[in-house]
Amino acid sequence: MNLPSINPTTTEAWNKLQAHFSEIKEVHMMDLFKDDTERVDKMNISWNEFQVDFSKNRITDKTINLLLQLAEEVGLKKAIELQFEGSKINQTEDRAVLHSALRDFNSMKPEVKKALQKMKKTSNAIIKGAWKGFTGKPITDIVNIGIGGSELGPKMVTNALKYYSNALKLHYISNVDGDHVSETLKKLDRETTLFIIVSKSFTTQETMTNANAIKNWFLQGATQLDIEKHFIAVSTNESAIIDFGISKYNVFPIWDWVGGRFSLWSSVGLSTCCAIGYDNFEELLRGAHEMDLHFRNEDFSENIPVILALLSVWYNNFFSSETEAIIPYTQYLEDFVPYLQQAIMESNGKSVDRNGSAINYETGTVVWGNVGANAQHAFFQLLHQGTKLVPVDFIGFSKSLHNNKKQHEILKANFFSQSEALLQGTYKQNAPNAYRVFTGNKPSNTILVNSLTPKNLGSLIAIYEHKIFVQGIIWNIFSYDQWGVELGKKLTNQLLSTS
Ligand code: F6P
């Protein structure tokens, strides 16, 4: 069954939101807080180890009600069910979208269970030193060769969960930049390095160029027969893998119902699984599954991904905010923004609707950001005093993993005070001069998580995955294809063939 296809601008809610926007656009949030003492309690969602405070937004109860009405009118509930039931909602590629099925241990597809078992067995053997290289030495280094979704997710999670990692050293090669390949290889020993080639298609030019260069380097000190101890592939394209020389026992599956940018939960995450061990990897999946249940079952008014998506639509389509910043207050999440940039912008950067018509309203937001506190000393000037309205998601953790209490208090103080400063500005205060005036009234969400566990990270990532889906449904676009990347690929190949 197809997704509903409703132009959001034709709904009653959209028209009412337009009128409501004129009423609210000049209102200062400080006045909204003053007028409604229950605002903080009402605009807060407590879920598992998450506290999501969305009170610092330019909204009232009426805004939320109209946005919820919009979600109803575009058929969001039905769309969510179609996705989870496995309908082919990626219509332009005739595929289902079931990354949620990769983490549903209660009703897991047999092929997913089997792949997870293989990941468990392989990662255990590598971690324990039972997997030996061609000279009988255990593996010390793993190189993930992949690009886009075949790198950004696994790399982000591996770094985010460094606290839980073992002694294996992980490396990621994505860019078709020979210098980067050489820099990585110069530190490595053939005898103790395992290469995981991750490519759903096994035809991606950057990945295959790097994989072939690395195979040549490997063969300078080893034989063809040794490849089976040092090369693993994650792909749907079994024949290309065998042609490359990889043993069929070293092939991990991925399915066409898992989009590249949503694939970190599958065998694509094998490097992560080796880095943190299977049990932690499973916890990551379980955390995501709990968020799936919340998203699927919770009333929209208490539903974290739905609320975050609606707020994003509010700023994008009514306040004409073109960008959103995401600021995680932990160094562990330094790769979170690049990961989200692919997930969000490759999904929702579309300008044709689900009826095949050109769109005349704004779709995909531009997402950017960096870790706090570093970001405060880089681009926060623009957030506080620039001319652009940039809604921010602040992500913070109550506890430090290494129990660095004193420093963590400082980090948290920064986390809380920045959203407060964006809200208040110098509202009704006398600034010494015009340059010291902060208008405030800058919106933000505060996502406070107890600590950075594998489970909580899984839930956090799933929040953003579902937020993407909700926005795609409202904007009436297909979020799961990426035709826009094809033309550039074609022109690169044309250029190479004529040079
Ligand atoms: O170019 C975009 C893209 O298709 C992404 O969607 C994908 O994550 C990436 O390329 C890598 O693709 P593959 O896993 O097939 O090598």
Side-chain angles (χ1 to χ4, degrees), residues 147-150 199-201 204 260-261 342 346 482 485 489:
I147 197 164
S150 297
S199 176
K200 222 179 125 181
S201 58
T204 302
R261 52 193 176 274
Q342 185 206 16
E346 197 166 84
Q482 56 286 317
V485 298
K489 287 184 191 172

Side-chain angles (χ1 to χ4, degrees), residues 424-445:
Q424 296 178 15
T426 46
Y427 178 78
K428 291 192 177 159
Q429 290 168 24
N430 286 327
N433 62 50
Y435 299 106
R436 306 261 185 125
V437 171
F438 292 72
T439 55
N441 214 17
K442 316 274 190 193
S444 68
N445 297 305

Side-chain angles (χ1 to χ4, degrees), residues 266-394:
S266 69
S267 308
V268 168
L270 181 62
S271 60
T272 307
C273 185
C274 291
I276 61 173
Y278 178 81
D279 290 347
N280 284 319
F281 189 76
E282 190 175 311
E283 277 295 289
L284 177 86
L285 302 191
R286 289 189 184 278
H289 178 62
E290 286 189 21
M291 178 40 68
D292 294 341
L293 295 177
H294 167 85
F295 175 57
R296 193 173 180 182
N297 301 323
E298 189 55 78
D299 194 88
F300 287 167
S301 63
E302 293 288 322
N303 194 312
I304 298 171
V306 172
I307 291 291
L308 294 181
L310 291 174
L311 290 169
S312 179
V313 168
W314 177 232
Y315 294 116
N316 186 60
N317 296 92
F318 297 89
F319 280 85
S320 305
S321 287
E322 297 218 317
T323 78
E324 279 172 18
I326 297 175
I327 318 289
Y329 276 71
T330 169
Q331 203 60 34
Y332 288 118
L333 285 183
E334 66 180 327
D335 296 325
F336 197 51
V337 172
Y339 157 76
L340 285 178
Q341 284 177 324
Q342 185 206 16
I344 296 171
M345 299 202 269
E346 197 166 84
S347 299
N348 286 340
K350 310 283 166 66
S351 49
V352 173
D353 73 12
R354 289 198 292 270
N355 296 311
S357 307
I359 281 173
N360 63 356
Y361 46 87
E362 291 293 326
T363 62
T365 42
V366 176
V367 185
W368 58 290
N370 199 353
V371 290
N374 299 7
Q376 293 168 204
H377 297 270
F379 52 76
F380 267 46
Q381 166 65 35
L382 183 144
L383 299 185
H384 287 291
Q385 286 190 316
T387 53
K388 294 179 170 54
L389 186 71
V390 185
V392 184
D393 279 357
F394 288 100

Side-chain angles (χ1 to χ4, degrees), residues 1-55:
M1 196 188 279
N2 290 346
L3 288 171
S5 180
I6 295 155
N7 178 337
T9 64
T10 62
T11 60
E12 186 188 280
W14 192 280
N15 288 311
K16 286 188 175 170
L17 279 163
Q18 245 156 358
H20 174 61
F21 171 68
S22 317
E23 292 159 19
I24 208 175
K25 64 179 188 226
E26 306 296 346
V27 176
H28 202 292
M29 283 188 280
M30 291 299 282
D31 290 321
L32 296 176
F33 273 97
K34 208 169 65 205
D35 294 347
D36 184 356
T37 50
E38 284 166 22
R39 185 175 173 89
V40 179
D41 290 336
K42 278 191 301 193
M43 296 183 181
N44 238 289
I45 303 175
S46 218
W47 175 83
N48 282 5
E49 297 192 3
F50 285 66
Q51 193 70 44
V52 178
D53 175 358
F54 59 98
S55 63

